[in-house]
Amino acid sequence: DVLLLDPALVYPSALSVNVAVTLENVALMTGRATVDTAMPRFMDGLTVNASDVHLLGLEIKRGDPLTDIVVLNGANPTLDGCRVLGDKLHGAKRGIAGNAPNVTVIRCYVADCFGTYPGNDTQAFAAWNSPGPFRLVDSYFSGGSETILFGGADPVDAAHVPAHITITGCTITKDPAWQ
C-alpha cells in the first residue's frame, strides 16, 4: 500500500509501522532533502518493525533527546528525501538506528544529533546489530560524537556484525558549537 500524505500533516504521537507500506509526501521533490522543504511532520519519532517500509519525503523529530528518532528493525527499509531532526537546543541521542537488514538512506538530511549531557555518545546514523548491506547515498549527516557509526555495541551473534557498507556522495559533518 502507498499512503500519500499532505505536507501540512502533523502527526503528534510516536508511530510504529508494523505492515509493509510506503508513506509518501504528495509534494515529493527531487534531489536531497533540505531544511525548508514542506513535508509531512512526525513529531515523536518513528519505528519501522515491518519489512519493506519506504518513507519518502517526511520530516521526523522526537521530543526526548535521550532516544533515537528513527528506529529501523524490519528488513529492506528505505528513507528517501527525509529530514530527521534532533532538537536545536537539546539535540538527540541518534538520528537513525539502522539495525535492520538491507538499509537504504538516500537524499536525506539528518541533523542536530548531539548531546548536551556529558558521557553519552550521539550519532546521526548508527548500526551495531545488522548484517547489512547498508547504502547511505547523497545525504547530509551531522552528529555530535560519531557522525556515522557501525559497531560500538555487541551484535546478537557473528552473523549480525555490520558489513557490506557503501557511503557515496554524502556530507558528514559536526557543528563546532557542540564542543
Side-chain angles (χ1 to χ4, degrees):
D1 288 331
V2 176
L3 297 177
L4 297 174
L5 307 175
D6 189 283
L9 170 78
V10 176
Y11 193 87
S13 304
L15 178 64
S16 291
V17 180
N18 298 312
V19 296
V21 67
T22 297
L23 301 179
E24 182 176 337
N25 183 347
V26 296
L28 198 59
M29 79 294 174
T30 58
R32 187 188 286 182
T34 64
V35 295
D36 56 359
T37 306
M39 296 180 172
R41 296 184 297 156
F42 292 81
M43 302 305 290
D44 200 24
L46 197 146
T47 300
V48 173
N49 293 315
S51 295
D52 303 311
V53 172
H54 307 286
L55 308 175
L56 308 175
L58 311 179
E59 178 180 282
I60 308 161
K61 296 181 174 185
R62 178 161 265 165
D64 182 355
L66 299 177
T67 59
D68 301 338
I69 300 169
V70 175
V71 178
L72 304 176
N73 296 320
N76 312 314
T78 299
L79 277 79
D80 186 348
C82 291
R83 186 169 49 229
V84 179
L85 299 173
D87 183 84
K88 286 248 180 237
L89 297 176
H90 304 290
K93 170 72 176 161
R94 187 171 296 111
I96 302 170
N99 289 315
N102 196 26
V103 172
T104 299
V105 177
I106 183 168
R107 296 186 299 261
C108 290
Y109 185 91
V110 184
D112 295 324
C113 301
F114 66 95
T116 58
Y117 41 89
N120 287 320
D121 283 347
T122 58
Q123 302 89 28
F125 181 94
W128 57 93
N129 191 39
S130 168
F134 298 92
R135 287 183 1 142
L136 308 180
V137 179
D138 189 26
S139 295
Y140 177 94
F141 295 100
S142 181
S145 299
E146 305 85 17
T147 302
I148 296 175
L149 175 68
F150 291 96
D154 292 330
V156 295
D157 57 37
H160 286 81
V161 172
H164 311 289
I165 300 162
T166 303
I167 302 172
T168 307
C170 293
T171 301
I172 301 170
T173 188
K174 299 179 184 309
D175 184 339
W178 297 338
Q179 296 303 314

